Amino acid sequence: MSQEYIALIETVPQIIRSSIKDWLRIDQNQETRDEVVQLCQNRDWDELEKRFSSRIVFGTAGLRARMEAGTNRLNSLVILQATQGLAKYIAQQFPSTKVAVVGHDHRFHSKEFAEVTASIFLRAGFKVYYLNPQDTFVHTPMVPFAVDHVGASVGIMITASHNPKMDNGYKVYYKNGCQIIPPHDANIATCIDENLEPWSDNWDWTSTLQDGLNTGELVYAKEELTKEYIKKVREVLTEGNLSLGKSLKKPWFVYTPMHGVGYEIFNEIGAHLLGLTDGQDYISVPEQIVPDPSFPTVSFPNPEEKGALDKAIELAEKNNISLVVANDPDADRFSIAVKNSTTRKWSQLTGNEIGFLFATFQLESYKQLPEDFQRSHTLAFLNSTVSSQMIKAMAEKEGFHYEDTLTGFKWIGNRARDLEKKNFYVPFGYEEAIGYMFPAMEHDKDGISATVVFLIAYNSWLEKRNKYPQDILEEGLQKYGVFKEYNGYYIIKNQSMMKPVFDYIRYEYDPSNKYPQKIGDQFEVTYFRDLTVGFQSDTPDHKPTLFVDANSQMISIKATKIGSTDETVRFTMRGSGTEPKLKVYIEACSSTEDQAQNLAKLTWDTLRKELFRPDVTGLTTDF
Ligand SMILES: O=P(O)(O)O[C@H]1O[C@H](CO)[C@@H](O)[C@H]1O
Ligand SMILES: [Mg+2]
């Protein structure tokens, strides 16, 4: 290391000095090295501390962070280190199946990170199925699909889904085609810590990949696996070639991939399996078709955010179309907006409403299956514990199995695998964050499969019963009870703000009791679950049934409105694993839609005043 660097490192505060010294010793990426040197020269210790005082850890969807220099950020060195640890761990677990799948989306640096990842696996002696030859992209579900199809022991997708354009992510799939859950996440983190030193000085990824191609250890697999993916859609989702929308006035829907990677695969499946031609049966939002990492026409590339579907709705309105379907940028999630035929108003369905529509369709399909199959395979649906309980009510009434899991498909996918082993039939699982899984395809959410299944369901309801999605939802409320949600979030400017907010709820709000018995004057608590400290009020030993994680904050409460017999709410507050947010998920149950809606909003307002207290805690929210 040069004298100039040694002198510069001497000026760095003790707490981050050794991390920065190591960084400048091993990072061979000029751009990130320069960034660190510049920050040191500017003596920007606050910024350097944020980036170097810890190492990025696996959250809800793997590693996700801003792309910049730092051990707590995403850059080629962090990707190299993570992959070295991951490859070591997987090789230990599956010494005779050293096979990896690597794919990436269209984000800035995605290709570079995927090349680093593939190269490290090659160096670790893995055979690598690489999904992106040249400048092509894949949608996230291709990776778990490919892991299953080629029998890989690990899969990595480089994507930050719907996060802002400067973020990226590293999503890891295990041998069972599901995202990793404990204890593997912690074991991998340990292995990463033990393998921080680059195995080789050679950062010429292109030459490593070329060598892999020459020896046959690297396989360009996009074309082949895309064919297999489409074949599987045909086998398990469309059951042959369809011709959708025959009786509808054309074009009958608008599609947007939201500047992401969904168009190519959706268009191909539409044309080959569903009888849908762009420009004729449907129209796509022209400004949003081409993958663009700067997401120019949306402030957040997330179909859940207000305004994200505006362009698609505008296009639909102009063409007298009353249905909009959308994928998020890596096409693993799915959203819908519909125009009400009476009020002429557009509304975007919530993730829970879409989940209920899929559940209804899957239940209808299950009832068509041979009776002996139904007898030997109990139907089971899954959703995350922050999603609606409407499918629980449905399961109770219709006599099938329902379970909730923690947030994220790493939990939903793994649980589906467990249930399948016990002979349950699990055609579907979902989470309110517009994620839908069809395990016959893969054990993760899949926005393309969701689009296909939804279009089939939409057609079938219209053709057979002349019903629109809103009518199906209405029928559901009549049959299973009135559920209304109010989901929102607070911005966490600094992660250290999180714990005190939750500690206030668990210890200080009602110090004379184990947990709050009342919230404000309005609510009496009937159930309390704290998945951070490990307490659940209704189990015999007060141990929670779901996994407890001391490193992430999560409390769920059920309460009744004082003085009312039929008004109950269930809400969860948790720290996001992908964004700087404290998320609040509220679901109210009552006898009328208005009552339930008002109750959900009343709950938000009460929690804000009693528990979150923005004026004291510094939390901010737009809700
Ligand atoms: O809530 P966090 O941890 O940010 O996770 C979010 O990210 C996942 C979707 O990519 C979903 O599980 C959603 O809830
Ligand atoms: Mg996504």
Side-chain angles (χ1 to χ4, degrees), residues 196-207:
L196 296 178
E197 199 62 33
W199 292 339
S200 157
D201 277 349
N202 181 3
W203 280 45
D204 181 358
W205 316 116
T206 317
S207 74

Side-chain angles (χ1 to χ4, degrees), residues 161-162 328 330-333 445:
S161 181
H162 52 280
D328 74 335
D330 63 326
D332 63 351
R333 300 190 305 149
K445 60 189 170 209

Side-chain angles (χ1 to χ4, degrees), residues 59-61 64 160-163 171 179 304 328 330 332-333 384 386 406-410 412 431-435 445 574-581 583 585:
T60 322
R64 218 181 261 191
S161 181
H162 52 280
N163 277 42
K171 210 167 176 182
Q179 293 177 62
E304 288 173 292
D328 74 335
D330 63 326
D332 63 351
R333 300 190 305 149
S384 72
V386 299
L406 286 177
T407 307
F409 276 83
K410 60 181 182 184
I412 301 175
E431 66 176 6
E432 53 66 49
I434 56 170
K445 60 189 170 209
R574 59 179 280 277
S576 158
T578 65
E579 295 169 291
K581 289 178 181 170
K583 295 187 174 175
Y585 310 82

Side-chain angles (χ1 to χ4, degrees), residues 3-45:
Q3 282 304 320
E4 184 202 343
Y5 276 168
I6 294 170
L8 186 64
I9 289 164
E10 285 309 307
T11 65
V12 175
Q14 195 68 43
I15 181 171
I16 46 172
R17 192 180 300 163
S18 77
S19 304
I20 291 195
K21 190 172 169 193
D22 278 344
W23 186 277
L24 290 175
R25 186 174 57 77
I26 58 181
D27 186 17
Q28 293 196 33
N29 180 317
Q30 199 57 44
E31 206 180 310
T32 40
R33 283 179 74 83
D34 289 350
E35 234 176 276
V36 176
V37 169
Q38 188 69 58
L39 285 165
C40 290
Q41 283 168 345
N42 296 348
R43 304 175 74 82
D44 197 344
W45 312 133

